[in-house]
Amino acid sequence: MRSFSKIGLLVSVAVLAVSSAAFGSGFGIFEQGAKATAMGGAFVATADDPSAIFYNVAGIAQQRHVTFLAGGTVISFNNQFTGDPNDPLTVGTTGKYAKHTFIPPNAYLIVPIGSNLTFGVGVFTPFGLRTNWAEPWIGRFVSRDANVKTLSVEPAVAWQTTDGRLAIGAGIEYRRSHIVLNRNNAGFNPLTGRVFDSANAFLNSDWDTTTGWNAGILLKPTPTWRLGLSYRADSTINYKGKAHFTQILTGTPLDAVVAAQIPPDQSIATSINFPAILAAGIATSAFGHNWDLEADLTHTTWSRFKALDVTFGTTTALNFTSPQNWKDTYSYRLGANKKVNDVWDVRFGGLYDKNPQPTAGVGPLLPDSDRIGASFGIGWHSGPFILDLTEMALHFKNRSTDGTVQNDNFHGSYKTNANLIGVNAGYRF
C-alpha cells in the first residue's frame, strides 16, 4: 500500500496559496458607483458625483454641495466547466459554481471648502471575488472555495481654478484585504487503483493592510469638452495566516497511513502585488440634445505579478515560488448620459476588458478571460435626493487550457457570464 507524502501535501497547499493570490490580484472591481457603471465605467472625464473619489479624484472639486452617496453592486456569476476530452482526469466531467452573490459596497462623502477646494472620503472595494464550486466537483483537489475580499478607505482633496476649467486632486488609500481558501487533497489507493479524498486544507489569512495613493486631473478646454486623467498607484499587501488540515476518514486501513502523513497546522505568509491603474477619458456634450458622451482607455500594470513566494512557518524547506508572468492590459469603455428632464437621466455603456492571465494559469481558482459588457441605467434627482440604478451584463469569452502545459495540470474549458445590479442613494445638503 502506497503511503502519502507529507511533502506532497504541503506542496499542494503551497500551490493553492499561490493560485489564490493570482486570483485576488487578477480580478479588479471597477464598479464603484451606479452612475459610472451605467456608463460602462467611462467616467474619468465626467466625474460629477461623489464616486469621483474612485474614478477621478479631481472631479470632486467641481461639486459644490455637501453630498453623501452610498450603495453597492450585486454581482452574480454563472460558470460552467467542461473537461478536456483528451485528459483522462477530466474527460466527460462538468462543473459549475454554487449559487452565491458578491456585493461590494461603496460610500462617499464630499464637503466643499470655500469656493475652490473640496474634501472627500470614500469607502470602496477595488479587488475581490468568490469562486465556490458546487459538489460533486472533479476540481476539488485544485479549489473548492476561494473568497478574496478587500476594503479601501480614502480621504481626498481637490482644488479647481476660479473659472472651473482646471481641477486637480489627490487621495491616500488605506486598503485592507482578507483571503479564505478551501480545497481537498487527493490520495491514491493501490488496492482499488482509485483516487480518494484524503484531507481538507483550509487557509485563512488575517486582515492585512497597505497604503497607497491616487491623483487626478480634470480639464475643460471649452464649455462642451472635458479631458480627464486618473492614476491609482500600485501597492503590495503582505499576508499572514494559518493553514488547517483535517483528515477525511474513509473507514479503511488507509486512515492510519494518512494520519501519520498529515502535516501540523502552521502559519503561512505570502504577498500580493496589486497593479497600478492609469485611466484617460474624453467627454463631450457638443452633439446637443442633452447628451453627454465619454470614451475611456484604462491601462493596468498586471505585469507586476511576475511570481509569488509562499513561506511556511514550520516546514521552511518547503518554501515555494510560483511564476505567474501576467501581462499589462488595456480596457476600452464607452458611456452616454442623456438628461431627459430636471428629474430623470438615462444612461448606456459598453466595455471590452482584456485579461492578463497566460493560458498556463487558467484553472478553477481563476478561469479568467477577456470580458465584453453592456450596461443601462437610470438616474432620479429630485431636490436633495439622489437615486441611481444600473444593470450590466458581462460576458467572459470562452477560455480553455488548450492542452498546453498548465500550472494545475487540470485541463478543460470555462464559460462564464456575470450579472451586475448597481444601486446608489444619496442626499445633497
Side-chain angles (χ1 to χ4, degrees):
M1 181 178 297
R2 184 188 303 173
S3 65
F4 286 96
S5 167
K6 182 184 295 186
I7 292 178
L9 181 57
L10 282 173
V11 169
S12 71
V13 174
V15 172
L16 173 63
V18 170
S19 299
S20 71
F23 172 84
S25 177
F27 225 111
I29 302 175
F30 210 69
E31 294 73 33
Q32 302 300 333
K35 179 177 181 178
T37 301
M39 297 175 64
F43 204 61
V44 176
T46 298
D48 62 355
D49 77 7
S51 69
I53 291 175
F54 176 80
Y55 292 98
N56 182 357
V57 65
I60 66 173
Q62 65 183 332
Q63 302 172 51
R64 307 314 304 161
H65 296 275
V66 175
T67 306
F68 176 73
L69 187 71
T73 306
V74 179
I75 305 175
S76 59
F77 283 88
N78 178 23
N79 176 281
Q80 181 168 324
F81 167 83
T82 302
D84 188 329
N86 298 313
D87 186 347
L89 173 64
T90 63
V91 60
T93 66
T94 61
K96 61 181 181 180
Y97 287 164
K99 291 184 178 180
H100 63 270
T101 56
F102 183 64
I103 310 176
N106 59 75
Y108 307 94
L109 174 67
I110 60 171
V111 181
I113 302 172
S115 58
N116 300 88
L117 198 66
T118 301
F119 171 80
V121 61
V123 180
F124 46 87
T125 50
F127 294 89
L129 192 68
R130 187 176 186 190
T131 55
N132 182 15
W133 293 90
E135 298 292 348
W137 168 230
I138 188 66
R140 63 190 180 277
F141 304 125
V142 180
S143 176
R144 287 176 54 186
D145 191 8
N147 194 354
V148 182
K149 298 179 179 178
T150 64
L151 183 68
S152 292
V153 178
E154 180 180 324
V157 64
W159 172 88
Q160 69 172 354
T161 58
T162 301
D163 60 11
R165 297 181 64 180
L166 173 67
I168 58 174
I172 300 296
E173 180 188 350
Y174 174 77
R175 183 182 300 168
R176 305 183 73 216
S177 183
H178 171 66
I179 302 174
V180 174
L181 302 163
N182 189 352
R183 62 162 281 180
N184 286 1
N185 193 70
F188 178 75
N189 186 337
L191 299 179
T192 64
R194 294 182 177 180
V195 172
F196 70 97
D197 297 68
S198 63
N200 175 260
F202 182 83
L203 279 65
N204 186 20
S205 83
D206 301 330
W207 278 95
D208 296 296
T209 63
T210 189
T211 301
W213 60 274
N214 79 321
I217 300 173
L218 186 62
L219 177 64
K220 302 176 182 178
T222 75
T224 58
W225 288 91
R226 304 181 303 277
L227 303 173
L229 187 68
S230 176
Y231 179 78
R232 187 169 298 277
D234 57 46
S235 62
T236 298
I237 292 184
N238 297 312
Y239 294 90
K240 295 181 179 179
K242 295 289 186 179
H244 177 67
F245 306 96
T246 303
Q247 183 178 359
I248 300 174
L249 298 176
T250 66
T252 70
L254 279 174
D255 290 342
V257 177
V258 172
Q261 302 298 326
I262 291 179
D265 292 353
Q266 59 187 279
S267 63
I268 289 181
T270 188
S271 61
I272 292 177
N273 292 324
F274 290 93
I277 302 172
L278 175 66
I282 180 170
T284 183
S285 57
F287 296 100
H289 304 290
N290 292 324
W291 280 101
D292 281 308
L293 308 177
E294 178 162 345
D296 284 8
L297 176 65
T298 302
H299 178 255
T300 307
T301 62
W302 298 119
S303 61
R304 293 192 72 239
F305 195 59
K306 297 182 183 300
L308 192 142
D309 300 325
V310 177
T311 301
F312 289 87
T314 301
T315 317
T316 58
L318 295 177
N319 293 348
F320 188 84
T321 298
S322 173
Q324 298 299 317
N325 299 317
W326 287 41
K327 298 179 180 179
D328 290 353
T329 60
Y330 288 92
S331 66
Y332 310 89
R333 301 173 184 272
L334 297 173
N337 182 92
K338 179 175 176 59
K339 183 178 178 64
V340 178
N341 54 43
D342 290 338
V343 176
W344 292 99
D345 292 350
V346 294
R347 297 152 187 159
F348 307 90
L351 66 91
Y352 183 80
D353 194 0
K354 293 282 292 182
N355 90 88
Q357 185 184 46
T359 302
V362 175
L365 276 162
L366 179 56
D368 201 9
S369 66
D370 296 352
R371 283 148 280 184
I372 302 170
S375 57
F376 169 78
I378 58 174
W380 177 81
H381 312 277
S382 179
F385 298 100
I386 303 167
L387 181 64
D388 295 315
L389 303 174
T390 300
E391 165 68 26
M392 174 181 280
L394 197 61
H395 170 69
F396 293 65
K397 296 176 68 175
N398 294 352
R399 191 78 192 270
S400 172
T401 58
D402 295 326
T404 61
V405 176
Q406 207 263 346
N407 293 348
D408 296 322
N409 198 28
F410 186 82
H411 293 279
S413 60
Y414 299 84
K415 296 180 179 180
T416 305
N417 291 285
N419 188 69
L420 300 86
I421 300 174
V423 180
N424 275 104
Y427 190 87
R428 184 178 294 111
F429 294 86

